[in-house]
Amino acid sequence: MRRPLPALVLLCAASALCASQADFLAHYKGTPYHDSHYQGGPQAIPGKVLCAYYDLGGEGVAYHDSDAKNNGSGALNPANGTYLNEFRMGEGVDTSYTKFNLDPKIDDNPYDKVVPPANLLYVGWTVPGEWFNITVQVAEAGTYTADLLYTSNRGGSISLDVNGEPVAGPLAILSTYDSADPVAWRQWHHWNSAPALATLHLPAGKSVLTVHIVTEGQMNLAVLDFKKIK
Ligand SMILES: [Ca+2]
Ligand SMILES: [Ca+2]
């Protein structure tokens, strides 16, 4: 009796692209993020995927960052024993979180296009050439859109890979620069949502999503919200 082929092979039998995606997954050494406060596991699609929960595995495996320091956790946000200030402070990707009710206002400022949740972790200090991987679990194969919750003080672009294959991009990110804001550093904190920034096909089951910073950088990337459209 023949053994049934795994679903991914059946889906992709005639496709060199799918073969290379299966090869990528078989060799990938990153693992879904978890810590003492966050149970982890692959992030569910459809649903909100948090960029700050990019995979474990370190530089060259789970991400590439332009410097080994986390410029947010343990730096801008001094190490003080709190979860948010010390979040992933030993890793190269630069992370911070939204701060409310301060004077001057930071992430709940009047120049937000969209007010984000408070204490929302995000990836910042982005530079062209950087990337990070996120392991996801997709409920159903199909075409999905992704809305992005972000800030961008000069515009720019990102792109997305699925299992090592480019699938979307470059995706233009609209600038959230606002000359009316009298606080210069707050240009990094004008939040916006880019609805359906990306449209992409996702296979069912486990996949690895790669977010690339393509041009400009200077973006804070918080949430990719995936919705199935067909
Ligand atoms: Ca860094
Ligand atoms: Ca960086």
Side-chain angles (χ1 to χ4, degrees), residues 13-137:
S15 162
L17 180 70
C18 283
S20 73
Q21 291 195 353
D23 195 53
F24 176 93
L25 277 179
H27 291 94
Y28 181 58
K29 302 294 188 210
T31 55
Y33 182 67
H34 61 86
D35 63 29
S36 58
H37 287 69
Y38 174 69
Q39 190 174 356
Q43 298 194 59
I45 291 179
K48 291 183 165 70
V49 170
L50 259 71
C51 296
Y53 293 154
Y54 68 89
D55 285 353
L56 296 170
E59 169 67 36
V61 173
Y63 63 82
H64 168 61
D65 203 82
S66 57
D67 67 7
K69 177 183 178 185
N70 187 330
N71 288 288
S73 300
L76 177 74
N77 306 325
N80 63 359
T82 64
Y83 178 71
L84 290 172
N85 276 39
E86 298 190 359
F87 179 78
R88 309 189 80 166
M89 62 186 273
E91 298 194 64
V93 175
D94 307 290
T95 51
S96 189
Y97 59 94
T98 56
K99 302 177 181 97
F100 279 27
N101 301 316
L102 297 172
D103 184 14
K105 288 178 180 294
I106 300 181
D107 295 290
D108 52 347
N109 69 74
Y111 306 94
D112 279 339
K113 311 279 192 287
V114 169
V115 180
N119 299 327
L120 176 66
L121 289 157
Y122 61 83
V123 171
W125 292 264
T126 52
V127 174
E130 293 182 339
W131 53 266
F132 52 90
N133 289 335
I134 305 169
T135 298
V136 297
Q137 182 73 26

Side-chain angles (χ1 to χ4, degrees), residues 119-160:
N119 299 327
L120 176 66
L121 289 157
Y122 61 83
V123 171
W125 292 264
T126 52
V127 174
E130 293 182 339
W131 53 266
F132 52 90
N133 289 335
I134 305 169
T135 298
V136 297
Q137 182 73 26
V138 180
E140 279 184 282
T143 302
Y144 288 78
T145 58
D147 304 344
L148 175 66
L149 181 63
Y150 76 99
T151 81
S152 170
N153 78 358
R154 58 175 71 165
S157 59
I158 65 171
S159 68
L160 301 177

